[in-house]
């Protein structure tokens, strides 16, 4: 779950909306009063950390006492006489002086207007496309200028649809034939994913191409320039750039298949490498002990922490956990589903079902959490959302609570980002710790970290003895951390 969302309003200013960590709902958008993305992003981060300032009421330009001097300076002769007569009539002043006789004001002779030199009317403003690298090929000297400009000639001049408007509508379920058709064929495209794609249009496509750039004007070179802009000026990671690329690529491919455009400009535009991703860090044993002993404000986050750190569940597997998956008698949970970050239930990452031993006290707390759901039943979710108790929390929800917990034990936001620690780091911690204490085959089977063939081979031999052995290791892991770490 993202802490805040930035978008452009109709006047071109960036506005920000914040996410409530408890309910997952978002606040109304508040203007940052800037059209610069970097300034708006910095301001949003400051407001998220320190709180957004309350709306200030405009102070009057005068003191609470009546400013007679200001009134007198503003009155004309006729207005002063009219006011005098009305005051005498309303308040019935006794012995009021005789009204001042009207005296014609001294006529003012207006000077002849100075004739200004004629101003040439500027040519009608041409449509400007915001492309930062349009002359890159010509400037590089690699190609002659006239040849370099040809790569920007429209590929589909007959298509006059506005690019960004089309992409927003394409990712709006109520308007999109593409999404409606996918859903009719039982293919999952969640509302959250659609909303995320529309956000990509507003954050990245719209500031680069503008509102008037058409689908027909789009070329491969424009798209190359766009992606380079995201990398070199926005400093986005390869995975984020690819996400923005997919946002447009899906729509353009659909237009090509429908025959609306005869050439897909995205067809030969390569995706970015994800090799620039920062390796994920893991908490230390001391930090895990502090987190375990922490007085968590949120019971859901406490249980999610335990399942990830001491049982190795993925965030989506935690959200996808149902009441029927809890084996109270044997202290086991069955991992058969995962809740996708865009909002639908799917199979596990390896498409296989596995069982994981869990401490008995956590099993009890999981059942208690599940029973709090107003519509609790065998298929209801253990980590049900307060915003919609038929669905669980999105997997990204756990990041926010985990970050708060890290802050409470002394890990600052700067340090957390530098070490690249997030909720998924707990699963990595569990895998690392178990690998030092048991056979790798057991680790792979418990964590689901194998190819399907290997997992099937090892899971077929997971007897009660294996589960008891793994349970003892989990308990030993907890005991070692809680007792031996200073």
């Amino acid at each position: 779950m993202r802490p805040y969302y930035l978008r452009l309003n109709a006047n071109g200013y960036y506005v920000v909306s914040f996410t409530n960590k408890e309910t997952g709902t978002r606040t109304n958008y508040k203007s940052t009063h800037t059209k610069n993305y970097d300034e708006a992003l910095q301001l949003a981060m400051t407001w998220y950390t320190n709180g957004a300032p309350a709306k200030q009421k405009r102070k009057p330009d005068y003191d609470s006492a009546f400013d007679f001097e200001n009134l007198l300076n503003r009155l004309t002769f006729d207005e002063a006489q009219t006011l005098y007569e009305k005051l005498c009539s309303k308040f019935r002043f006794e012995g009021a002086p005789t009204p001042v006789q009207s005296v014609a004001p001294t006529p003012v002779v207006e000077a002849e207007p100075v004739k200004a030199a004629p101003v040439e009317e500027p040519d009608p403003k041409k449509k400007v496309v915001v492309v930062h690298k349009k002359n890159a090929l010509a400037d590089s000297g690699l190609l002659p200028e006239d040849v370099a400009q040809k790569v920007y000639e429209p590929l589909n001049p007959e298509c006059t649809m506005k690019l960004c408007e089309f992409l927003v509508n394409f990712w709006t379920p109520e308007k999109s034939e593409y999404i409606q058709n996918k859903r009719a064929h039982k293919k999952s495209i969640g509302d959250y994913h659609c909303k995320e794609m529309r956000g990509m249009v507003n954050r990245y496509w719209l500031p680069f191409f503008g509102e008037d750039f058409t689908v027909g004007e789009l070329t491969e070179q424009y798209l190359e320039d766009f992606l380079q802009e995201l990398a070199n000026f926005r400093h986005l990671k390869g995975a984020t750039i690819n996400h923005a690329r997919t946002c447009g690529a899906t729509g353009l491919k659909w237009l090509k298949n429908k025959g609306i455009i005869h050439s897909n400009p995205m067809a030969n535009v390569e995706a970015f490498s994800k090799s620039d991703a920062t390796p994920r860090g893991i908490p230390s044993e001391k930090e895990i002990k502090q987190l375990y002993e922490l007085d968590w404000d949120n019971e859901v986050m406490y249980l999610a922490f335990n399942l990830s750190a001491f049982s190795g569940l993925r965030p989506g597997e935690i959200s996808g956990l149902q009441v029927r998956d809890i084996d109270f008698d044997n202290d086991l949970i069955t991992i058969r589903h995962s809740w996708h970050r865009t909002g639908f239930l799917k199979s596990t990452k390896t498409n296989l079902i596995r069982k994981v031993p869990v401490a008995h006290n956590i099993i009890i707390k999981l059942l208690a959490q599940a029973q709090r759901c107003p519509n609790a039943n065998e298929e209801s979710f253990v980590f049900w959302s307060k915003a919609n108790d038929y669905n669980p929390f999105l997997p990204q929800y756990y990041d926010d609570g985990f970050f708060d917990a890290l802050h409470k034990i002394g890990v600052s936001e700067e340090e957390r980002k530098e070490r690249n620690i997030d909720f998924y780091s707990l699963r990595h911690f569990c895998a690392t710790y178990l690998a030092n204490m048991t056979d790798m085959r057991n680790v792979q089977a418990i964590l689901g970290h194998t190819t399907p063939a290997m997992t099937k081979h090892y899971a077929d031999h997971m007897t009660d003895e294996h589960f008891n052995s793994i349970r003892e290791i989990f308990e030993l892991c907890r005991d070692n951390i809680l007792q031996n770490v200073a």
Side-chain angles (χ1 to χ4, degrees):
M1 182 186 305
R2 297 175 53 196
Y4 49 80
Y5 296 79
L6 274 176
R7 70 170 179 82
L8 286 169
N9 64 12
N11 297 320
Y13 289 93
Y14 281 98
V15 292
V16 60
S17 173
F18 296 95
T19 305
N20 187 301
K21 299 176 184 179
E22 296 295 331
T23 64
T25 59
R26 285 163 54 186
T27 64
N28 293 331
Y29 278 97
K30 180 179 179 64
S31 177
T32 62
H33 301 291
T34 179
K35 297 182 178 181
N36 182 283
Y37 176 81
D38 293 331
E39 292 178 1
L41 180 61
Q42 183 65 36
L43 192 58
M45 293 172 62
T46 302
W47 287 354
Y48 177 69
T49 304
N50 303 325
K55 187 175 181 181
Q56 299 290 329
K57 292 184 178 180
R58 185 175 178 182
K59 294 182 178 179
D61 297 328
Y62 49 85
D63 296 330
S64 57
F66 192 82
D67 191 348
F68 290 97
E69 192 67 25
N70 183 43
L71 175 63
L72 291 174
N73 291 334
R74 292 165 53 192
L75 287 175
T76 64
F77 181 88
D78 291 335
E79 290 171 344
Q81 182 171 341
T82 302
L83 177 61
Y84 175 84
E85 293 172 352
K86 288 184 176 295
L87 288 172
C88 291
S89 173
K90 179 176 181 179
F91 295 100
R92 298 179 182 179
F93 293 146
E94 294 183 2
T98 306
V100 180
Q101 297 297 319
S102 175
V103 179
T106 305
V108 178
V109 179
E110 295 185 358
E112 293 184 4
V114 179
K115 294 183 179 180
V119 180
E120 295 183 1
E121 290 292 330
D123 295 333
K125 187 176 180 181
K126 296 181 179 180
K127 180 174 61 179
V128 178
V129 179
V130 187
V131 177
H132 296 277
K133 292 185 167 295
K134 186 169 181 178
N135 297 316
L137 288 176
D139 294 342
S140 68
L142 179 65
L143 298 174
E145 184 175 353
D146 58 335
V147 177
Q149 293 301 324
K150 289 184 179 180
V151 298
Y152 293 99
E153 292 179 358
L155 284 182
N156 304 280
E158 70 283 355
C159 184
T160 58
M161 288 191 304
K162 293 182 179 180
L163 174 64
C164 292
E165 182 180 350
F166 160 70
L167 289 177
V168 169
N169 290 334
F170 180 81
W171 291 111
T172 302
E174 298 79 13
K175 300 180 180 179
S176 175
E177 179 187 338
Y178 168 79
I179 295 174
Q180 293 170 8
N181 184 54
K182 287 288 186 182
R183 290 179 173 178
H185 287 79
K186 307 303 179 183
K187 296 183 179 180
S188 298
I189 298 184
D191 289 339
Y192 183 87
H193 176 70
C194 296
K195 184 178 181 180
E196 203 171 44
M197 290 292 100
R198 295 196 299 273
M200 286 282 175
V201 178
N202 291 326
R203 283 196 304 278
Y204 303 131
W205 288 77
L206 186 58
F208 186 87
F209 290 103
E211 295 180 350
D212 298 327
F213 194 89
T214 66
V215 173
E217 293 175 282
L218 201 58
T219 67
E220 180 179 321
Q221 190 59 47
Y222 274 128
L223 291 168
E224 292 282 7
D225 294 345
F226 168 57
L227 299 183
Q228 288 296 328
E229 159 82 6
L230 299 183
N232 299 332
F233 293 92
R234 294 291 191 97
H235 307 292
L236 300 181
K237 297 291 185 181
T240 306
I241 296 173
N242 288 341
H243 205 184
R245 176 185 175 279
T246 301
C247 170
T250 307
L252 293 172
K253 182 180 178 180
W254 182 82
L255 288 176
K256 174 68 167 57
N257 292 340
K258 286 289 183 181
I260 298 173
I261 57 177
H262 60 78
S263 177
N264 182 359
M266 187 69 86
N268 297 318
V269 178
E270 294 185 12
F272 272 59
S273 170
K274 298 180 182 179
S275 60
D276 58 351
T278 306
R280 180 178 275 109
I282 63 174
S284 66
E285 292 181 18
K286 180 179 179 180
E287 289 167 341
I288 292 293
K289 177 184 179 182
Q290 291 175 315
L291 289 168
Y292 185 84
E293 296 176 341
L294 182 68
D295 184 15
W296 292 74
D297 297 331
N298 188 328
E299 178 74 6
V300 167
M301 277 308 309
Y302 170 75
L303 292 173
F305 161 76
N306 273 273
L307 290 179
S308 186
F310 298 116
S311 297
L313 271 67
R314 299 179 177 93
E317 293 170 347
I318 294 174
S319 290
L321 194 64
Q322 296 174 303
V323 176
R324 62 175 178 159
D325 299 328
I326 301 175
D327 184 346
F328 179 83
D329 295 329
N330 297 307
D331 291 338
L332 294 172
I333 57 175
T334 302
I335 310 302
R336 67 180 88 238
H337 290 126
S338 179
W339 189 263
H340 194 267
R341 64 189 302 272
T342 59
F344 62 91
L345 196 64
K346 66 184 187 71
S347 61
T348 61
K349 187 174 182 180
T350 55
N351 297 317
L352 295 171
I353 298 173
R354 71 184 193 275
K355 293 181 182 291
V356 178
V358 177
H360 185 68
N361 67 310
I362 299 300
I363 290 286
I364 294 174
K365 289 180 181 293
L366 289 174
L367 289 173
Q369 166 63 22
Q371 292 303 319
R372 296 189 189 102
C373 178
N375 299 291
N377 57 69
E378 283 296 303
E379 295 188 354
S380 62
F381 294 101
V382 176
F383 291 84
W384 53 279
S385 170
K386 293 181 180 178
N388 179 2
D389 50 45
Y390 288 99
N391 289 339
F393 289 108
L394 292 173
Q396 50 268 44
Y397 169 80
Y398 309 116
D399 268 331
D400 291 340
F402 182 57
F403 294 161
D404 288 342
L406 285 175
H407 181 74
K408 289 180 180 179
I409 66 170
V411 180
S412 65
E413 181 180 2
E414 293 75 13
E415 180 184 353
R416 170 178 59 77
K417 289 181 178 179
E418 182 179 353
R419 293 168 59 187
N420 194 26
I421 295 177
D422 57 14
F423 185 80
Y424 208 96
S425 298
L426 295 172
R427 173 175 164 84
H428 284 233
F429 167 83
C430 182
T432 302
Y433 205 92
L434 288 179
N436 294 324
M437 302 182 68
T438 186
D439 189 284
M440 184 56 66
R441 293 175 300 177
N442 290 335
V443 178
Q444 291 173 336
I446 288 295
L447 299 181
H449 248 176
T450 65
T451 62
M454 291 177 65
T455 302
K456 186 177 186 302
H457 174 73
Y458 297 129
D460 284 347
H461 297 86
M462 288 296 290
T463 63
D464 291 341
E465 183 179 350
H466 285 85
F467 284 123
N468 290 334
S469 174
I470 292 294
R471 182 179 292 106
E472 290 175 3
I473 292 171
F474 278 139
E475 292 175 356
L476 180 61
C477 171
R478 266 192 300 273
D479 292 341
N480 286 346
I481 292 173
L482 297 179
Q483 296 175 11
N484 299 333
V485 179

